[in-house]
Amino acid sequence: MAGQAQYEELARQLSAVGAVKRDLGRILPQDCSAGSAAVLALLGSHGDMRMSNLSELLAVDMSVTSRHAAHLADRGWIERSPDPADKRSRILHLTPEGHAMLVELSRRSAGLLAERLEDWTDAEVGQLIGLLTRLRASFGDCRTVAHRPPPPPSPRPPAPAVPAVPAGERTQTTRTPAQAT
Amino acid sequence: MAGQAQYEELARQLSAVGAVKRDLGRILPQDCSAGSAAVLALLGSHGDMRMSNLSELLAVDMSVTSRHAAHLADRGWIERSPDPADKRSRILHLTPEGHAMLVELSRRSAGLLAERLEDWTDAEVGQLIGLLTRLRASFGDCRTVAHRPPPPPSPRPPAPAVPAVPAGERTQTTRTPAQAT
DNA sequence: TATTGTTATACTCTATAACTATA
DNA sequence: TATAGTTATAGAGTATAACAATA
């Protein structure tokens, strides 16, 4: 248990992370916004998945995911195949072009980070990654990830038709409560 | 020096911090957005300052700061006094109402963090704060802060007419390059 | 009746550009 | 001429609500 002052300071530092994220956003290629990049990264690291699953991973409403997915599909970076198990669903997967874009995105962001954090040790970077991962887990993503082993760049698993997550548990998010008229 | 894979993972985790920030944003009172809250927090912790100084601390363009400041001034939470040393400048300072709002904001965000991070130790929270602070410093805010001692809630210094920071150093940001016509 | 996904709309945050008033 | 700050405008990200198709 930490003190009030410490939590306030943490809140400030979290809000300041925005500056770092904006910096990272400035090196993105035309046509590929931060939102698109996030989707590509998740598809790359977690493999094919449904819209709803992706929404949970991003922790945003599905309407947002739908927009991003449409943008990526328009550019040929992902495909949205019908889910044979549920005709309402769509399975997203990277195309070769999408994978190439992801490689380029990774190269750029890793490059910038390597430049900025040149005086950080490997252990320090690892520590920050660990704490951020745990922070996210503490914020309700019991369902997110962090449970799976670090995904190898090997051929991805054959797209689990079932979301890797209980999908209950959550208070709201990922779904606009349908209003009863 | 860390490896490419580690930097990619860090980029992913940084992007995921957005979910935490959105969660924190949901508990804000009406009329006080995250942007407003950030300004109040900085004025509270660093004391009175000029628009340009605040822009550097926020790492956003001054036009953004101007908007936020106008919003806060409209609600009586800050005042923008003329700077006797430079008639172009304005010194921002919290009003009693602004201070009260800041106290409420701190209470709420610290409360949510305390709830979510209940199983974190004091040391872990401190470690995350330290790494985030350093991360920010590594991202070009040689000028930001982190140099000053933790500001006591005591009577604030008489508004340094000179920004606490070199103000050069920076590639761009904080100012839209005036186009030569 | 409930769920998956899409679309329309609105709001926040930010950057760019042009403008005023000082320096 | 350069700087501090303001305002208008545009773009990205997200949430809410309503709708279609399917379960």
Side-chain angles (χ1 to χ4, degrees):
Chain A
M1 273 299 292
Q4 161 109 4
Q6 216 181 1
Y7 289 128
E8 290 175 17
E9 179 61 21
L10 179 54
R12 267 195 294 278
Q13 292 306 328
L14 285 173
S15 124
V17 167
V20 173
K21 292 177 66 177
R22 285 195 295 280
D23 250 33
L24 281 167
R26 291 194 184 94
I27 61 171
L28 295 175
Q30 269 299 73
D31 247 29
C32 187
S33 63
S36 297
V39 170
L40 291 178
L42 283 175
L43 288 177
S45 58
H46 296 293
D48 301 352
M49 67 180 82
R50 315 199 309 179
M51 296 284 313
S52 57
N53 200 179
L54 185 55
S55 291
E56 291 180 5
L57 288 172
L58 290 168
V60 297
D61 190 271
M62 199 160 28
S63 64
V64 176
T65 308
S66 183
R67 262 176 104 81
H68 288 156
H71 179 92
L72 292 171
D74 282 350
R75 277 149 194 81
W77 295 332
I78 68 169
E79 270 175 16
R80 292 177 285 188
S81 324
D83 181 347
D86 184 340
K87 285 179 188 163
R88 295 170 304 179
S89 289
R90 299 229 244 177
I91 306 283
L92 308 183
H93 57 92
L94 287 178
T95 61
E97 293 76 27
H99 190 266
M101 173 57 73
L102 175 55
V103 168
E104 171 62 16
L105 293 171
S106 300
R107 197 185 63 71
R108 293 199 192 189
S109 59
L112 180 61
L113 284 171
E115 188 185 316
R116 292 285 199 276
L117 309 186
E118 61 176 359
D119 60 335
W120 287 49
T121 68
D122 191 86
E124 289 167 333
V125 174
Q127 217 170 32
L128 178 54
I129 291 172
L131 287 168
L132 289 178
T133 304
R134 190 166 164 217
L135 173 70
R136 208 187 154 199
S138 293
F139 262 75
D141 327 48
C142 334
R143 48 148 183 33
T144 301
V145 191
H147 306 133
R148 298 198 200 172
S154 57
R156 301 186 237 88
V162 200
V165 230
E169 303 293 338
R170 208 64 180 101
T171 39
Q172 18 71 282
T173 309
T174 312
R175 187 97 287 275
T176 304
Q179 202 72 343
T181 48
Chain B
M1 275 297 293
Q4 160 108 6
Q6 217 181 1
Y7 289 127
E8 290 176 17
E9 179 61 21
L10 179 55
R12 267 195 293 277
Q13 292 305 329
L14 285 173
S15 123
V17 167
V20 173
K21 293 177 65 177
R22 285 195 294 280
D23 249 31
L24 281 167
R26 291 194 185 94
I27 61 170
L28 295 175
Q30 271 298 73
D31 248 29
C32 188
S33 64
S36 298
V39 170
L40 291 178
L42 284 175
L43 287 177
S45 57
H46 297 293
D48 301 353
M49 66 180 84
R50 316 198 308 179
M51 296 284 313
S52 55
N53 200 178
L54 185 55
S55 290
E56 292 181 3
L57 288 172
L58 290 169
V60 298
D61 190 90
M62 197 158 31
S63 64
V64 176
T65 308
S66 183
R67 262 177 104 79
H68 289 329
H71 178 91
L72 292 170
D74 282 351
R75 276 147 194 82
W77 295 332
I78 68 169
E79 271 175 15
R80 292 176 285 187
S81 325
D83 182 346
D86 184 340
K87 286 180 188 161
R88 295 171 304 179
S89 289
R90 300 229 244 178
I91 306 282
L92 309 183
H93 58 91
L94 288 177
T95 61
E97 293 76 27
H99 190 265
M101 174 56 74
L102 175 55
V103 168
E104 171 62 16
L105 293 172
S106 300
R107 198 184 63 72
R108 293 199 192 190
S109 60
L112 181 60
L113 284 171
E115 189 185 316
R116 293 285 200 275
L117 310 186
E118 62 175 359
D119 60 336
W120 287 49
T121 68
D122 191 86
E124 288 166 334
V125 175
Q127 217 171 33
L128 179 54
I129 291 172
L131 288 168
L132 289 178
T133 303
R134 189 165 164 219
L135 174 69
R136 208 189 153 196
S138 293
F139 263 75
D141 326 49
C142 334
R143 50 152 184 31
T144 302
V145 193
H147 307 133
R148 298 197 200 174
S154 57
R156 302 185 233 88
V162 200
V165 231
E169 304 293 339
R170 209 61 181 103
T171 39
Q172 18 70 284
T173 309
T174 312
R175 187 98 286 277
T176 303
Q179 202 73 342
T181 46

